[in-house]
Amino acid sequence: MKKLLTAMATLALCLGLTACGHFVSIMPGSAGSGETDPDLPQTLDAFEETGLMDFMGWKEFAARYYSDTPIALSIRSAQKGYASPVFDRASIIAACDALRSMTVTGRSETVPAEDRQTVYTFTMKNGDEYAVAFSDGELSLYAGQYTVTGLDALEELRFPGYSDGFDVFDLYYDDDIRAFADEFNVNTPVSVGRRYNGGATMTSEDPAVVSQAFQLFRDAAVDRVEDSPDQDIDLTQLTDYVFTMADGTYYTFTFAGPCLQVTANADFGPVYYWLTGIDELASMAILPESTVPTFAGGPLYSMREEIARGLAAANGELPDVTVDGVYVDYTIDGQHGYLTLDGSAATGFIQRMAYINAAADTTEPSGEKITVYVTLSDQSGPIVVFTGDTVQQMVGYDHLCDADAMNDLRSAILTLAQDPNNVGPSFSSTSG
């Protein structure tokens, strides 16, 4: 009898929790408090239309979000698979207002569809989070769906990667950076510099170089937000681009690996953005009165000194420098992907790439792009940009490569994408 009563009590408790819909995620990554609100319906049969924030158990949050506004609002779509935050108070307040105006009107017969779910998460200054999920226009809570009114206002909000119109400068939520971008033509920086991992800054005062670097930033677009930066990118490889104004003010834009690293709110921490249209920035020659060295044609290692040095490290010819890894951002046959290599796979890839032959004459690049980032143990390493069958010596100077060698390189990338340990044949200075 005791077992039966216990089972019945447990069943009643589960039904009550399922019906009440009280969910507050109070810490990052937590599942929520799971507490019930005595004012909400506690049976499956009863249901009374309820304001969404009351239904979620967010009464305290609703009462204070104007005075204690969340520092960030993030959207995560199951279909896109990444969280994208906004940090401006206007968007965050608008989202809170939208939720407060929504009404939960009843239970739905719809089966929750996790693969179509969109989650909105409010992050507080102390790290607490409030998360609410919707699927197919309905509120998703526990294992159930609830019909709601007023969702349109929430769906009108814009997020980087999910909405058009965000440029690089918007991501900082900084009035000074926005003014720097908008007033570039009338208040142009006197120089642009690049430095790696806090080292020496190579600077150019050439107006054409300054303008070109800025245009690349201006024309870049957010492709997506990196959801697992600790796993997918090398956070120790930092590249700063520094624009210096006539009054000594400077604006710094930092890449961690291939992603733009932006800290719009110190309490929230850095966000990492994959950008499109930015590849040429890495291969720009930012040097005082830079000139293009003569290239008579031949293997890539003879075209650029840093490629030759990367090859020497791969061949074991530099006693104090080794290859830490190779990162490849590629589009091949319409397939866009990323490849991270280390060990013998990395050295073999550098050898394959460095011995590709290129013509002396420059040509117009066309085709799909492959960008190779080589990292050596002393934090240096070449960045090589291929477009179709061309390779970039520096911005504006592209040379036609051996077509068969480029086809071999593309095949190797696709093979390594399936099996990063498939090093392939070894290479030497006699290889083609």
Side-chain angles (χ1 to χ4, degrees):
M1 185 64 174
K2 288 183 178 180
K3 290 182 179 180
L4 177 60
L5 290 174
T6 300
M8 291 176 65
T10 302
L11 176 60
L13 177 60
C14 291
L15 292 177
L17 287 173
T18 302
C20 74
H22 181 180
F23 174 92
V24 180
S25 177
I26 59 174
M27 288 299 291
S30 71
S33 66
E35 298 174 359
T36 60
D37 188 329
D39 296 332
L40 297 181
Q42 299 297 310
T43 70
L44 288 174
D45 295 328
F47 195 94
E48 181 178 350
E49 289 191 3
T50 310
L52 184 139
M53 282 200 172
D54 285 347
F55 190 77
M56 296 288 292
W58 290 7
K59 293 179 180 179
E60 181 183 351
F61 176 82
R64 62 183 172 90
Y65 68 78
Y66 279 105
S67 59
D68 185 16
T69 304
I71 61 173
L73 165 64
S74 302
I75 186 175
R76 178 191 293 276
S77 162
Q79 292 178 318
K80 290 202 172 184
Y82 60 83
S84 177
V86 293
F87 297 93
D88 62 303
R89 188 173 185 272
S91 294
I92 295 169
I93 291 294
C96 293
D97 288 344
L99 290 177
R100 191 177 65 174
S101 67
M102 292 171 63
T103 300
V104 183
T105 58
R107 296 184 183 83
S108 172
E109 299 287 337
T110 306
V111 176
E114 292 186 3
D115 62 334
R116 296 194 298 274
Q117 191 174 86
T118 299
V119 180
Y120 296 86
T121 302
F122 298 89
T123 302
M124 309 303 293
K125 183 179 177 64
N126 64 0
D128 289 356
E129 291 184 339
Y130 292 82
V132 58
F134 298 93
S135 178
D136 295 327
E138 297 179 341
L139 174 67
S140 297
L141 200 59
Y142 297 115
Q145 293 276 102
Y146 296 83
T147 55
V148 295
T149 62
L151 185 57
D152 290 350
L154 192 63
E155 293 177 337
E156 290 174 358
L157 296 173
R158 299 167 58 252
F159 296 84
Y162 286 84
S163 312
D164 295 331
F166 280 89
D167 66 20
V168 164
F169 311 107
D170 291 328
L171 303 175
Y172 290 85
Y173 294 89
D174 184 297
D175 291 341
D176 289 339
I177 289 180
R178 186 68 261 172
F180 158 75
D182 294 341
E183 299 170 6
F184 180 85
N185 290 330
V186 295
N187 188 18
T188 305
V190 296
S191 69
V192 62
R194 178 170 55 206
R195 63 171 173 255
Y196 299 105
N197 294 312
T201 303
M202 299 300 295
T203 302
S204 175
E205 296 180 357
D206 184 343
V209 175
V210 174
S211 179
Q212 184 178 21
F214 172 77
Q215 296 297 333
L216 288 170
F217 274 106
R218 187 201 64 182
D219 295 341
V222 178
D223 180 39
R224 61 188 175 91
V225 182
E226 175 54 54
D227 215 46
S228 303
D230 293 341
Q231 302 175 25
D232 296 339
I233 60 178
D234 188 347
L235 300 179
T236 67
Q237 298 303 306
L238 301 180
T239 304
D240 296 324
Y241 292 88
V242 185
F243 293 89
T244 302
M245 313 302 291
D247 64 359
T249 303
Y250 58 89
Y251 299 92
T252 303
F253 302 89
T254 300
F255 286 84
C259 292
L260 182 69
Q261 175 184 292
V262 179
T263 302
N265 184 283
D267 294 310
F268 190 89
V271 182
Y272 300 89
Y273 297 93
W274 291 92
L275 305 178
T276 59
I278 205 73
D279 291 344
E280 289 185 2
L281 186 67
S283 56
M284 278 190 65
I286 301 180
L287 295 169
E289 300 178 358
S290 60
T291 58
V292 180
T294 301
F295 176 55
L300 299 194
Y301 71 80
S302 67
M303 183 176 71
R304 285 166 44 187
E305 290 183 4
E306 75 270 30
I307 299 178
R309 191 168 182 274
L311 175 61
N315 289 340
E317 298 168 0
L318 301 180
D320 298 324
V321 181
T322 57
V323 176
D324 275 357
V326 172
Y327 184 88
V328 184
D329 179 350
Y330 66 87
T331 302
I332 299 174
D333 296 334
Q335 175 184 339
H336 185 204
Y338 311 97
L339 179 64
T340 301
L341 305 172
D342 56 17
S344 58
T347 57
F349 188 92
I350 295 170
Q351 292 166 334
R352 180 189 295 270
M353 177 184 70
Y355 291 120
I356 292 175
N357 281 306
D361 295 334
T362 59
T363 186
E364 191 70 24
S366 64
E368 296 177 323
K369 186 164 289 186
I370 299 171
T371 305
V372 180
Y373 304 83
V374 176
T375 303
L376 304 181
S377 60
D378 63 354
Q379 311 306 314
S380 66
I383 299 173
V384 186
V385 180
F386 299 94
T387 305
D389 284 347
T390 67
V391 63
Q392 189 174 86
Q393 184 180 13
M394 63 174 57
V395 175
Y397 293 83
D398 295 84
H399 300 262
L400 186 65
C401 295
D402 178 79
D404 290 337
M406 286 304 302
N407 285 332
D408 288 344
L409 184 70
R410 286 187 281 266
S411 296
I413 290 172
L414 295 178
T415 299
L416 287 164
Q418 298 296 321
D419 179 9
N421 295 315
N422 191 341
V423 181
S426 59
F427 297 88
S428 68
S429 59
T430 60
S431 298

